[in-house]
Amino acid sequence: MNENKKELLRVEGLKKYFNTPGGLLHAVDNVNFSINEGETLGVVGESGCGKSTMGRAILRLHEPTEGKVFFEGHNILEYDKSKMKQLRRDMQIVFQDPFASLNPRLTVSEAIAAPMLIQKMYTKKDRVELQKQVSRLMEMVGLADRLKNSYPHELDGGRRQRIGIARALSLKPKFIVCDEPVSALDVSIQAQILNLMQDLQDELGLTYMFITHNLSVVKHFSDNIVVMYLGQMVEMAPTELLFKNPVHPYTQALLSAIPIPDPDYPMNRILMKGEITSPINPEPGCRFYKRCPYAKDCCKNPNIGLKEVEPGHFVSCERIGDPELKENPNA
Ligand SMILES: Nc1ncnc2c1ncn2[C@@H]1O[C@H](COP(=O)(O)OP(=O)(O)OP(=O)(O)O)[C@@H](O)[C@H]1O
Ligand code: SF4
Ligand SMILES: [Mg+2]
């Protein structure tokens, strides 16, 4: 991380467990990281590893089971309802499926105006000013003004996601959780939305937590990356380091699955075999144990946790440094 930058968000020991009929589901289990102002933290991992739950727990859309979330130095988990309502302006979310997150009965301009009315940034008396702000936001996200009276079902996925982004921006936030914002879009539109989000970050100094299951998406977008497996962080590093020197066998497997458009580059895809450990009352020790090609008895150590392997690069693996654990099978 850039040391001259100011820390905006810090998450300490964050846990979110769900009570399920089968037992306690450890969706997010002791997560720790920080994000500096104006930077992007990419969060990657397979479906069900707890990415969305973590994003929601940070925003208190899910009440965390344990831990601390510091925003501008204050633990927001201690905030009462009225302080949380104020904080909503600073911390926003963009969802994966813009169609599901938009009210089908609201026009584009109504949908964009709604958060500003709820937050009382404008009243109904300020109708003209509010409409001007809606137009400004539409321009900012590249939506033509003529679409103001359209309904979500009349628009394509890319335009609907632009509405989602305009709604998030309408409250002038400092921090946005982007939860798979391009995964539901056609590949051709994904790049447009990613470019838009990057331009808005530069223009407005936004800080992002960018959740995706696709490592190639975060590669060009993130300053740092967190890799999650079954609710836990298994590796965290500045983006360049993570791609150059992935240490955790799970990260290595994820990276090996990215196609490289170079015929001379040897593809050496690591296939993950074995059953996935259940997130319900998981056994102590490494949760990747049953799928890891390097698993040994020592990996059942219940105190397994992140260790710094080089400056800023953290890995949770009992066999770090063991010559048998190949540093990068694709190198
Ligand atoms: N409300 C809930 N009640 C019970 N279990 C839940 C709830 N929400 C999520 N989970 C469980 O928590 C775990 C993490 O789910 P989550 O949606 O956070 O994963 P994800 O990484 O975002 O997955 P995806 O990539 O599919 O979006 C999963 O096992 C999921 O079934
Ligand atoms: S701790 Fe053991 S099982 Fe877990 S990733 Fe490391 S080598 Fe594999
Ligand atoms: Mg999710």
Side-chain angles (χ1 to χ4, degrees), residues 1-221:
M1 282 185 212
N2 185 335
E3 278 164 20
N4 297 322
K5 288 205 176 176
K6 215 171 121 198
E7 179 184 280
L8 184 73
L9 183 92
R10 182 153 43 91
V11 173
E12 284 182 5
L14 189 72
K15 296 184 182 177
K16 176 64 194 175
Y17 296 171
F18 292 108
N19 264 314
T20 68
L24 207 52
L25 190 149
H26 295 220
V28 176
D29 216 353
N30 196 16
V31 162
N32 298 277
F33 62 79
S34 64
I35 314 180
N36 286 338
E37 250 172 28
E39 292 192 345
T40 299
L41 177 77
V43 177
V44 294
E46 287 166 305
S47 180
C49 73
K51 304 180 296 295
S52 298
T53 305
M54 181 169 85
R56 284 160 191 259
I58 288 169
L59 301 182
R60 291 186 70 183
L61 297 173
H62 281 319
E63 206 51 51
T65 306
E66 215 178 292
K68 291 178 180 158
V69 176
F70 292 93
F71 186 76
E72 296 185 315
H74 303 284
N75 181 7
I76 66 164
L77 302 191
E78 290 171 352
Y79 281 15
D80 61 16
K81 261 193 179 168
S82 93
K83 267 184 129 176
M84 263 327 282
K85 191 174 174 201
Q86 273 181 347
L87 191 75
R88 286 272 165 261
R89 292 191 186 185
D90 286 337
M91 302 174 90
Q92 281 291 303
I93 184 162
V94 174
F95 295 99
Q96 169 176 3
D97 183 352
F99 202 46
S101 60
L102 291 172
N103 182 337
R105 285 187 291 276
L106 295 186
T107 62
V108 172
S109 71
E110 287 167 342
I112 296 173
M116 293 186 278
L117 288 170
I118 292 168
Q119 280 282 343
K120 299 194 171 43
M121 287 168 80
Y122 294 87
T123 63
K124 292 213 168 136
K125 272 196 261 161
D126 309 321
R127 194 169 291 266
V128 176
E129 262 316 300
L130 176 62
Q131 280 314 310
K132 274 192 201 160
Q133 182 58 6
V134 168
S135 296
R136 274 195 287 270
L137 285 160
M138 287 181 66
E139 195 186 339
M140 216 183 246
V141 300
L143 279 171
D145 211 56
R146 64 182 160 76
L147 299 174
K148 260 187 164 174
N149 297 319
S150 304
Y151 288 90
H153 72 268
E154 297 171 325
L155 305 174
D156 60 32
R159 289 197 176 89
R160 288 199 289 259
Q161 194 53 291
R162 285 174 198 268
I163 302 173
I165 296 168
R167 275 168 62 87
L169 292 178
S170 68
L171 301 176
K172 303 194 169 86
K174 294 174 181 164
F175 172 67
I176 304 182
V177 170
C178 312
D179 190 356
E180 306 256 16
V182 298
S183 312
L185 305 177
D186 289 348
V187 175
S188 57
I189 297 170
Q190 285 188 6
Q192 292 173 18
I193 297 292
L194 287 173
N195 287 339
L196 169 69
M197 295 183 75
Q198 221 152 6
D199 291 346
L200 290 169
Q201 179 171 43
D202 294 343
E203 206 178 307
L204 306 171
L206 296 167
T207 305
Y208 290 143
M209 184 170 116
F210 197 98
I211 294 170
T212 177
H213 59 270
N214 186 346
L215 259 174
S216 355
V217 167
V218 279
K219 185 173 182 180
H220 304 288
F221 206 84

Side-chain angles (χ1 to χ4, degrees), residues 248-272:
H248 196 281
Y250 177 63
T251 313
Q252 293 176 353
L254 282 184
L255 284 178
S256 78
I258 301 178
I260 293 157
D262 178 352
D264 296 329
Y265 195 94
M267 272 301 282
N268 187 9
R269 185 165 183 172
I270 306 167
L271 294 173
M272 284 182 279

